[in-house]
Amino acid sequence: MNVQDQVTRLHGMMRVGQAAKYLGVSAETLRNWDRAGRLVATRHPVTGYRYYEPKDLEKFLGEIIKERMPS
């Protein structure tokens, strides 16, 4: 896959600030989760910026809610 194809694939994805606002956490929290492998971002092939799929954020949010629900 060439760089242009990779950049095109990022269309519709959220940058760190947008994703953080969506989840109600700080951008640094998202970066920490990415480093820990908890919520892995897709990286821009040239800039290295993190991007998140909205569906992945929704799935992650659902998992966090399940974790916090009493058994």
Side-chain angles (χ1 to χ4, degrees), residues 2 4-5 12 17-18 22-23 28 44 53 66 69 71:
N2 66 33
Q4 184 58 42
D5 291 340
Q18 296 167 313
Y22 178 80
L23 293 175
E28 191 58 34
H44 188 283
E53 287 273 3
K66 279 186 196 176
M69 297 273 301
S71 306

Side-chain angles (χ1 to χ4, degrees), residues 1 3 15-17 19-20 23 27 29-30 36-38 41-42 46 49 52 58-59 64 71:
M1 183 181 305
V3 173
R15 295 240 343 240
V16 171
L23 293 175
T29 295
L30 272 184
R38 191 158 184 212
T42 300
V46 176
Y49 290 163
Y52 296 90
E58 291 172 21
K59 180 180 173 187
I64 290 206
S71 306

Side-chain angles (χ1 to χ4, degrees), residues 1-67:
M1 183 181 305
N2 66 33
V3 173
Q4 184 58 42
D5 291 340
Q6 291 174 348
V7 171
T8 300
R9 183 173 165 261
L10 297 175
H11 181 70
M13 296 177 81
M14 293 183 191
R15 295 240 343 240
V16 171
Q18 296 167 313
K21 188 172 184 176
Y22 178 80
L23 293 175
V25 298
S26 70
E28 191 58 34
T29 295
L30 272 184
R31 291 182 190 102
N32 289 334
W33 287 343
D34 185 28
R35 284 189 286 270
R38 191 158 184 212
L39 181 61
V40 179
T42 300
R43 295 295 190 120
H44 188 283
V46 176
T47 65
Y49 290 163
R50 292 172 171 91
Y51 286 84
Y52 296 90
E53 287 273 3
K55 65 181 172 121
D56 292 340
L57 297 176
E58 291 172 21
K59 180 180 173 187
F60 183 74
L61 194 54
E63 291 169 3
I64 290 206
I65 290 170
K66 279 186 196 176
E67 288 175 7

